[in-house]
Protein backbone atom coordinates (compact mmCIF):
# COMPACT_ATOMS: atom_id res chain seq x y z
CA UNK A 1 0.00 0.00 0.00
CA UNK A 2 1.20 3.48 -0.67
CA UNK A 3 1.63 5.90 2.27
CA UNK A 4 -1.01 8.53 2.90
CA UNK A 5 1.21 11.50 2.02
CA UNK A 6 2.41 9.92 -1.23
CA UNK A 7 -1.13 8.82 -2.01
CA UNK A 8 -2.68 12.26 -1.49
CA UNK A 9 -0.24 13.71 -4.03
CA UNK A 10 -1.11 11.01 -6.50
CA UNK A 11 -4.86 11.66 -6.13
CA UNK A 12 -4.57 15.41 -6.72
CA UNK A 13 -2.36 14.91 -9.75
CA UNK A 14 -4.77 12.46 -11.36
CA UNK A 15 -7.78 14.64 -10.58
CA UNK A 16 -6.28 17.70 -12.27
CA UNK A 17 -5.05 15.81 -15.29
CA UNK A 18 -8.39 14.11 -15.63
CA UNK A 19 -10.42 17.27 -15.85
CA UNK A 20 -7.97 18.53 -18.51
CA UNK A 21 -7.89 15.37 -20.61
CA UNK A 22 -11.50 14.21 -20.28
CA UNK A 23 -13.69 17.24 -19.51
CA UNK A 24 -16.80 15.96 -21.28
CA UNK A 25 -16.70 12.21 -21.10
CA UNK A 26 -14.45 9.66 -19.41
CA UNK A 27 -12.53 7.55 -21.94
CA UNK A 28 -14.06 4.23 -20.84
CA UNK A 29 -17.72 3.61 -19.96
CA UNK A 30 -18.78 0.23 -18.58
CA UNK A 31 -22.26 -1.28 -18.40
CA UNK A 32 -23.74 -2.29 -15.04
CA UNK A 33 -23.94 -6.07 -14.58
CA UNK A 34 -27.09 -7.90 -13.33
CA UNK A 35 -28.03 -6.74 -9.80
CA UNK A 36 -24.76 -4.81 -9.55
CA UNK A 37 -24.40 -2.41 -6.63
CA UNK A 38 -23.60 1.21 -7.52
CA UNK A 39 -20.34 1.21 -5.51
CA UNK A 40 -19.16 -1.93 -7.33
CA UNK A 41 -19.84 -0.31 -10.69
CA UNK A 42 -18.07 2.91 -9.58
CA UNK A 43 -14.98 0.95 -8.51
CA UNK A 44 -14.90 -0.89 -11.85
CA UNK A 45 -15.51 2.36 -13.73
CA UNK A 46 -12.60 4.08 -11.98
CA UNK A 47 -10.23 1.15 -12.53
CA UNK A 48 -11.26 0.88 -16.22
CA UNK A 49 -10.25 4.54 -16.59
CA UNK A 50 -6.93 4.00 -14.85
CA UNK A 51 -7.93 5.49 -11.48
CA UNK A 52 -7.84 3.49 -8.23
CA UNK A 53 -11.09 3.67 -6.19
CA UNK A 54 -9.62 5.88 -3.44
CA UNK A 55 -8.46 8.41 -6.04
CA UNK A 56 -11.75 8.14 -7.96
CA UNK A 57 -13.45 9.53 -4.82
CA UNK A 58 -11.46 12.73 -5.42
CA UNK A 59 -12.49 12.86 -9.09
CA UNK A 60 -16.15 12.82 -7.93
CA UNK A 61 -15.47 15.44 -5.27
CA UNK A 62 -15.49 13.16 -2.20
CA UNK A 63 -12.99 12.68 0.60
CA UNK A 64 -11.69 9.51 2.25
CA UNK A 65 -13.67 6.77 3.96
CA UNK A 66 -16.76 4.89 2.80
CA UNK A 67 -17.57 7.32 0.00
CA UNK A 68 -18.98 4.78 -2.44
CA UNK A 69 -21.03 2.69 0.07
CA UNK A 70 -22.66 5.96 1.18
CA UNK A 71 -23.66 6.65 -2.44
CA UNK A 72 -25.37 3.22 -2.49
CA UNK A 73 -27.70 4.55 0.23
CA UNK A 74 -28.28 8.00 -1.25
CA UNK A 75 -27.10 9.27 -4.60
CA UNK A 76 -27.18 13.10 -4.70
CA UNK A 77 -28.76 14.49 -7.84
CA UNK A 78 -25.62 16.36 -8.93
CA UNK A 79 -23.48 13.20 -8.69
CA UNK A 80 -26.07 11.18 -10.65
CA UNK A 81 -26.12 13.89 -13.33
CA UNK A 82 -22.31 13.93 -13.51
CA UNK A 83 -22.18 10.13 -13.87
CA UNK A 84 -24.85 10.25 -16.62
CA UNK A 85 -22.98 12.97 -18.43
CA UNK A 86 -19.58 11.28 -18.22
CA UNK A 87 -20.69 7.74 -19.10
CA UNK A 88 -23.75 8.41 -21.31
CA UNK A 89 -25.70 5.86 -19.28
CA UNK A 90 -29.37 6.72 -18.63
CA UNK A 91 -30.17 8.15 -15.18
CA UNK A 92 -32.51 5.22 -14.49
CA UNK A 93 -29.74 2.67 -15.08
CA UNK A 94 -27.53 4.46 -12.56
CA UNK A 95 -30.16 5.12 -9.87
CA UNK A 96 -31.44 1.51 -10.06
CA UNK A 97 -28.06 0.34 -8.71
CA UNK A 98 -28.63 2.13 -5.39
CA UNK A 99 -30.36 0.61 -2.32
CA UNK A 100 -32.54 3.68 -1.88
CA UNK A 101 -36.23 3.19 -0.99
CA UNK A 102 -38.61 0.39 -0.03
CA UNK A 103 -39.19 -1.56 3.19
CA UNK A 104 -36.30 -3.86 2.33
CA UNK A 105 -33.80 -1.08 3.21
CA UNK A 106 -34.41 -2.01 6.87
CA UNK A 107 -32.27 -5.09 6.12
CA UNK A 108 -29.26 -3.04 4.98
CA UNK A 109 -26.09 -4.00 6.83
CA UNK A 110 -24.74 -0.91 8.65
CA UNK A 111 -21.83 0.93 7.04
CA UNK A 112 -18.94 -0.25 9.20
CA UNK A 113 -15.38 -0.19 7.97
CA UNK A 114 -14.06 -2.28 10.86
CA UNK A 115 -14.80 -5.93 11.39
CA UNK A 116 -15.06 -6.80 15.08
CA UNK A 117 -15.60 -10.48 15.76
CA UNK A 118 -19.24 -11.62 15.41
CA UNK A 119 -20.37 -8.17 14.26
CA UNK A 120 -21.64 -7.46 10.80
CA UNK A 121 -19.55 -5.83 8.11
CA UNK A 122 -21.14 -3.70 5.42
CA UNK A 123 -20.67 -6.20 2.57
CA UNK A 124 -21.06 -9.92 1.90
CA UNK A 125 -19.95 -11.96 -1.11
CA UNK A 126 -20.15 -15.41 -2.66
CA UNK A 127 -16.64 -16.61 -3.66
CA UNK A 128 -18.11 -18.85 -6.38
CA UNK A 129 -20.10 -15.98 -7.95
CA UNK A 130 -16.92 -13.86 -8.02
CA UNK A 131 -14.99 -16.81 -9.51
CA UNK A 132 -17.63 -17.23 -12.22
CA UNK A 133 -17.77 -13.54 -13.19
CA UNK A 134 -15.90 -12.35 -16.24
CA UNK A 135 -15.57 -9.03 -14.38
CA UNK A 136 -16.01 -9.83 -10.66
CA UNK A 137 -18.59 -7.52 -9.08
CA UNK A 138 -20.68 -7.11 -5.93
CA UNK A 139 -24.44 -7.68 -5.92
CA UNK A 140 -27.12 -5.50 -4.34
CA UNK A 141 -28.61 -8.50 -2.51
CA UNK A 142 -25.28 -9.06 -0.69
CA UNK A 143 -25.91 -5.82 1.24
CA UNK A 144 -28.94 -7.35 3.02
CA UNK A 145 -28.84 -8.97 6.45
CA UNK A 146 -31.72 -11.22 5.37
CA UNK A 147 -29.35 -12.98 2.95
CA UNK A 148 -26.91 -15.57 4.28
CA UNK A 149 -26.42 -17.89 1.30
CA UNK A 150 -26.11 -17.80 -2.48
CA UNK A 151 -29.21 -19.11 -4.26
CA UNK A 152 -27.12 -19.98 -7.32
CA UNK A 153 -24.39 -21.97 -5.57
CA UNK A 154 -26.10 -23.11 -2.35
CA UNK A 155 -23.13 -22.05 -0.21
CA UNK A 156 -22.92 -19.55 2.64
CA UNK A 157 -21.99 -15.95 1.96
CA UNK A 158 -18.77 -14.52 3.45
CA UNK A 159 -18.26 -11.09 4.97
CA UNK A 160 -14.54 -11.05 5.67
CA UNK A 161 -11.18 -11.78 4.12
CA UNK A 162 -10.11 -15.16 5.57
CA UNK A 163 -6.43 -14.12 5.54
CA UNK A 164 -6.52 -10.79 7.43
CA UNK A 165 -10.14 -10.94 8.77
CA UNK A 166 -10.89 -7.43 7.48
CA UNK A 167 -14.14 -6.59 5.72
CA UNK A 168 -14.40 -5.71 2.03
CA UNK A 169 -12.85 -2.24 1.61
CA UNK A 170 -12.52 -1.60 -2.11
CA UNK A 171 -13.58 2.01 -1.51
CA UNK A 172 -10.19 2.46 0.18
CA UNK A 173 -8.14 0.61 -2.46
CA UNK A 174 -5.28 2.91 -3.47
CA UNK A 175 -3.92 0.79 -6.29
CA UNK A 176 -5.21 -0.45 -9.62
CA UNK A 177 -6.26 -3.86 -8.35
CA UNK A 178 -9.59 -5.53 -9.25
CA UNK A 179 -12.10 -5.57 -6.42
CA UNK A 180 -12.05 -9.32 -5.80
CA UNK A 181 -8.64 -8.88 -4.15
CA UNK A 182 -8.66 -7.85 -0.46
CA UNK A 183 -7.79 -4.14 -0.28
CA UNK A 184 -5.53 -4.77 2.73
CA UNK A 185 -3.66 -8.03 2.06
CA UNK A 186 -4.48 -8.74 -1.62
CA UNK A 187 -5.94 -12.18 -0.85
CA UNK A 188 -7.98 -13.39 -3.83
CA UNK A 189 -11.57 -13.59 -2.49
CA UNK A 190 -12.46 -16.06 -5.27
CA UNK A 191 -10.28 -18.63 -3.50
CA UNK A 192 -12.14 -18.47 -0.17
CA UNK A 193 -13.27 -21.96 0.97
CA UNK A 194 -16.96 -22.75 0.56
CA UNK A 195 -19.08 -22.09 3.68
CA UNK A 196 -21.82 -24.62 4.34
CA UNK A 197 -25.41 -23.75 5.31
CA UNK A 198 -27.94 -26.44 6.21
CA UNK A 199 -30.59 -27.00 3.54
CA UNK A 200 -33.41 -26.21 6.01
CA UNK A 201 -31.85 -22.79 6.74
CA UNK A 202 -31.50 -22.06 3.02
CA UNK A 203 -35.18 -22.95 2.51
CA UNK A 204 -36.14 -20.60 5.36
CA UNK A 205 -34.01 -17.82 3.86
CA UNK A 206 -35.71 -18.20 0.47
CA UNK A 207 -39.13 -18.24 2.14
CA UNK A 208 -38.30 -14.98 3.96
CA UNK A 209 -37.20 -13.33 0.70
CA UNK A 210 -40.39 -14.53 -1.01
CA UNK A 211 -42.69 -13.46 1.83
CA UNK A 212 -41.21 -9.94 1.66
CA UNK A 213 -41.54 -9.92 -2.15
CA UNK A 214 -45.15 -11.15 -2.16
CA UNK A 215 -46.21 -8.87 0.71
CA UNK A 216 -44.59 -5.83 -0.93
CA UNK A 217 -47.31 -6.17 -3.56
CA UNK A 218 -49.95 -6.01 -0.81
CA UNK A 219 -48.75 -2.76 0.72
CA UNK A 220 -46.21 -1.36 3.10
CA UNK A 221 -47.98 -2.30 6.37
CA UNK A 222 -47.84 -6.02 5.57
CA UNK A 223 -44.21 -6.06 4.48
CA UNK A 224 -43.18 -3.84 7.42
CA UNK A 225 -44.61 -6.46 9.78
CA UNK A 226 -42.62 -9.22 8.05
CA UNK A 227 -39.44 -7.13 8.04
CA UNK A 228 -39.64 -6.28 11.75
CA UNK A 229 -40.23 -9.95 12.64
CA UNK A 230 -37.21 -11.01 10.56
CA UNK A 231 -35.05 -8.32 12.20
CA UNK A 232 -35.92 -9.85 15.59
CA UNK A 233 -34.99 -13.42 14.55
CA UNK A 234 -31.88 -13.53 16.81
CA UNK A 235 -34.28 -13.24 19.77
CA UNK A 236 -36.68 -15.85 18.34
CA UNK A 237 -33.76 -18.21 17.68
CA UNK A 238 -32.27 -17.65 21.15
CA UNK A 239 -28.91 -16.69 19.70
CA UNK A 240 -27.37 -13.34 20.50
CA UNK A 241 -30.65 -12.22 22.04
CA UNK A 242 -31.04 -8.49 22.28
CA UNK A 243 -29.28 -7.91 18.98
CA UNK A 244 -30.97 -7.21 15.69
CA UNK A 245 -30.16 -9.27 12.63
CA UNK A 246 -28.30 -6.43 10.91
CA UNK A 247 -25.68 -6.31 13.69
CA UNK A 248 -24.64 -9.97 13.41
CA UNK A 249 -21.81 -11.31 11.26
CA UNK A 250 -22.82 -13.57 8.37
CA UNK A 251 -21.56 -16.62 10.29
CA UNK A 252 -23.75 -15.69 13.30
CA UNK A 253 -26.78 -15.10 11.04
CA UNK A 254 -26.25 -18.52 9.43
CA UNK A 255 -26.35 -20.08 12.93
CA UNK A 256 -29.44 -18.00 13.68
CA UNK A 257 -31.29 -19.21 10.55
CA UNK A 258 -30.24 -22.81 11.20
CA UNK A 259 -31.59 -22.65 14.77
CA UNK A 260 -34.81 -21.03 13.56
CA UNK A 261 -35.33 -23.55 10.76
CA UNK A 262 -35.51 -26.31 13.37
CA UNK A 263 -38.51 -24.63 15.04
CA UNK A 264 -42.09 -24.11 13.86
CA UNK A 265 -42.53 -20.66 12.23
CA UNK A 266 -44.64 -19.28 15.09
CA UNK A 267 -42.33 -16.24 15.29
CA UNK A 268 -43.46 -15.27 11.80
CA UNK A 269 -47.24 -15.63 12.29
CA UNK A 270 -48.06 -14.96 15.97
CA UNK A 271 -51.06 -12.63 16.46
CA UNK A 272 -51.89 -12.47 12.74
CA UNK A 273 -55.29 -13.06 11.19
CA UNK A 274 -55.97 -16.42 9.58
CA UNK A 275 -55.50 -15.78 5.85
CA UNK A 276 -52.24 -13.83 6.20
CA UNK A 277 -50.79 -16.29 8.70
CA UNK A 278 -51.79 -19.21 6.48
CA UNK A 279 -50.05 -17.70 3.44
CA UNK A 280 -46.79 -17.17 5.35
CA UNK A 281 -46.97 -20.62 6.89
CA UNK A 282 -47.52 -22.21 3.47
CA UNK A 283 -44.56 -20.39 1.90
CA UNK A 284 -42.27 -21.44 4.77
CA UNK A 285 -43.55 -25.03 4.65
CA UNK A 286 -42.96 -25.21 0.90
CA UNK A 287 -39.46 -23.69 1.19
CA UNK A 288 -40.27 -20.69 -0.99
CA UNK A 289 -42.99 -19.20 -3.11
CA UNK A 290 -41.96 -20.75 -6.43
CA UNK A 291 -41.88 -24.20 -4.83
CA UNK A 292 -45.35 -23.56 -3.43
CA UNK A 293 -46.65 -22.57 -6.89
CA UNK A 294 -45.03 -25.62 -8.50
CA UNK A 295 -46.67 -27.90 -5.91
CA UNK A 296 -50.01 -26.19 -6.45
CA UNK A 297 -49.63 -26.76 -10.21
CA UNK A 298 -48.78 -30.43 -9.63
CA UNK A 299 -51.80 -30.75 -7.34
CA UNK A 300 -54.15 -29.32 -9.98
CA UNK A 301 -52.68 -31.50 -12.71
CA UNK A 302 -53.07 -34.59 -10.56
CA UNK A 303 -56.64 -33.79 -9.60
CA UNK A 304 -57.94 -32.54 -12.91
CA UNK A 305 -58.04 -36.13 -14.12
CA UNK A 306 -57.25 -35.15 -17.69
CA UNK A 307 -56.08 -38.05 -19.88
CA UNK A 308 -53.75 -35.58 -21.67
CA UNK A 309 -51.99 -34.56 -18.46
CA UNK A 310 -48.69 -32.84 -19.09
CA UNK A 311 -45.66 -33.15 -16.86
CA UNK A 312 -44.92 -29.43 -17.08
CA UNK A 313 -47.32 -26.65 -17.87
CA UNK A 314 -46.74 -24.17 -20.71
CA UNK A 315 -45.80 -20.68 -19.54
CA UNK A 316 -49.25 -19.22 -20.32
CA UNK A 317 -50.92 -21.87 -18.16
CA UNK A 318 -48.51 -21.20 -15.33
CA UNK A 319 -49.40 -17.49 -15.48
CA UNK A 320 -53.09 -18.35 -15.30
CA UNK A 321 -52.40 -20.65 -12.35
CA UNK A 322 -50.43 -17.91 -10.67
CA UNK A 323 -53.35 -15.51 -11.07
CA UNK A 324 -55.73 -18.17 -9.71
CA UNK A 325 -53.46 -18.72 -6.74
CA UNK A 326 -53.43 -14.99 -6.02
CA UNK A 327 -57.23 -14.85 -6.13
CA UNK A 328 -57.38 -17.68 -3.61
CA UNK A 329 -54.81 -16.05 -1.35
CA UNK A 330 -56.41 -12.60 -1.68
CA UNK A 331 -60.14 -13.26 -1.49
CA UNK A 332 -60.91 -9.54 -1.13
CA UNK A 333 -58.99 -8.72 -4.30
CA UNK A 334 -57.23 -6.01 -2.31
CA UNK A 335 -53.71 -6.33 -3.66
CA UNK A 336 -52.27 -3.56 -5.75
CA UNK A 337 -50.65 -4.17 -9.11
CA UNK A 338 -49.90 -7.43 -10.81
CA UNK A 339 -48.70 -10.49 -8.96
CA UNK A 340 -45.00 -11.22 -9.43
CA UNK A 341 -44.31 -13.15 -12.64
CA UNK A 342 -43.39 -16.83 -12.27
CA UNK A 343 -39.84 -17.77 -13.19
ZN1 LIG B 1 -22.77 -17.67 -5.74
ZN1 LIG C 1 -7.17 -9.54 3.56
Amino acid sequence: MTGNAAHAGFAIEVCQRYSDVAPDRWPVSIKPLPDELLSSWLHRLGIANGIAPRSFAGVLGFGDGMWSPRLDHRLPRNVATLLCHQTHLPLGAISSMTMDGGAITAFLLPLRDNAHRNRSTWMQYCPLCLAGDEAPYFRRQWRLASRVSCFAHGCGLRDRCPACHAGVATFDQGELVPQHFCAWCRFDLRAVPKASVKAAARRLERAIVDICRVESAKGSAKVSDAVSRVLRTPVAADVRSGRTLTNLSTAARIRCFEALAAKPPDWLVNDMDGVDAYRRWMIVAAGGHDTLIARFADFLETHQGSPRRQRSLPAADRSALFAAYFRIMHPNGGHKGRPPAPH
Side-chain angles (χ1 to χ4, degrees):
M1 305 286 290
T2 53
N4 283 343
H7 182 81
F10 175 68
I12 290 165
E13 185 182 45
V14 168
C15 187
Q16 284 178 340
R17 274 193 198 157
Y18 231 77
S19 56
D20 291 344
V21 173
D24 297 325
R25 189 175 175 180
W26 294 325
V28 181
S29 178
I30 54 168
K31 283 191 177 159
L33 294 164
D35 195 41
E36 183 163 20
L37 191 63
L38 178 69
S39 52
S40 167
W41 175 76
L42 286 170
H43 301 151
R44 291 198 303 119
L45 180 65
I47 290 167
N49 282 285
I51 311 175
R54 204 193 313 167
S55 303
F56 199 48
V59 172
L60 294 172
F62 297 108
D64 291 342
M66 303 185 81
W67 64 276
S68 52
R70 280 197 289 272
L71 293 176
D72 292 332
H73 286 221
R74 199 185 74 80
L75 181 63
R77 184 80 187 178
N78 63 320
V79 179
T81 306
L82 172 71
L83 292 170
C84 278
H85 184 70
Q86 294 286 356
T87 62
H88 285 207
L89 274 179
L91 186 62
I94 291 170
S95 59
S96 66
M97 286 187 280
T98 67
M99 304 296 293
D100 198 5
I104 212 81
T105 56
F107 289 139
L108 280 172
L109 292 160
L111 297 187
R112 259 201 275 271
D113 59 1
N114 52 30
H116 288 301
R117 198 166 170 270
N118 272 332
R119 277 180 80 193
S120 56
T121 69
W122 77 285
M123 175 59 85
Q124 308 177 97
Y125 63 93
C126 166
L128 296 176
C129 280
L130 293 179
D133 290 339
E134 196 173 321
Y137 69 101
F138 288 81
R139 278 73 165 164
R140 292 171 72 252
Q141 59 189 303
W142 293 346
R143 285 284 294 111
L144 302 174
S146 50
R147 296 303 313 273
V148 297
S149 77
C150 172
F151 289 162
H153 296 105
C155 59
L157 298 179
R158 298 280 193 174
D159 61 356
R160 283 159 165 79
C161 164
C164 71
H165 306 292
V168 173
T170 315
F171 52 85
D172 214 10
Q173 173 62 268
E175 297 173 25
L176 287 174
V177 176
Q179 55 187 339
H180 57 278
F181 290 101
C182 173
W184 307 120
C185 75
R186 290 213 180 187
F187 188 90
D188 187 342
L189 299 180
R190 298 174 301 182
V192 175
K194 197 171 170 176
S196 69
V197 183
K198 286 180 184 165
R202 283 188 276 118
R203 279 199 302 275
L204 176 64
E205 177 190 7
R206 188 180 282 274
I208 288 170
V209 169
D210 285 352
I211 285 168
C212 292
R213 180 165 57 94
V214 170
E215 295 190 0
S216 289
K218 287 186 56 112
S220 59
K222 287 274 187 287
V223 72
S224 298
D225 174 79
V227 166
S228 64
R229 286 172 190 258
V230 173
L231 288 174
R232 293 196 303 268
T233 47
V235 178
D238 277 337
V239 293
R240 308 260 156 202
S241 51
R243 277 185 159 182
T244 55
L245 195 67
T246 50
N247 282 324
L248 300 185
S249 69
T250 307
R253 278 182 283 115
I254 288 173
R255 288 196 295 277
C256 175
F257 277 32
E258 286 181 342
L260 216 52
K263 299 180 175 190
D266 297 359
W267 60 275
L268 196 55
V269 297
N270 278 343
D271 307 320
M272 290 180 71
D273 72 50
V275 173
D276 290 334
Y278 181 70
R279 182 186 54 246
R280 285 187 186 178
W281 192 289
M282 288 292 285
I283 292 175
V284 171
H289 198 244
D290 288 346
T291 314
L292 179 61
I293 297 300
R295 285 193 192 170
F296 183 54
D298 287 345
F299 171 82
L300 286 187
E301 284 180 41
T302 308
H303 291 80
Q304 274 170 346
S306 164
R308 293 185 291 116
R309 230 176 74 200
Q310 296 170 318
R311 284 188 64 80
S312 63
L313 291 171
D317 287 353
R318 282 201 75 185
S319 294
L321 269 176
F322 215 90
Y325 162 77
F326 249 76
R327 279 198 298 278
I328 291 167
M329 286 305 192
H330 306 86
N332 301 326
H335 71 278
K336 293 174 184 152
R338 286 157 54 85
H343 294 297

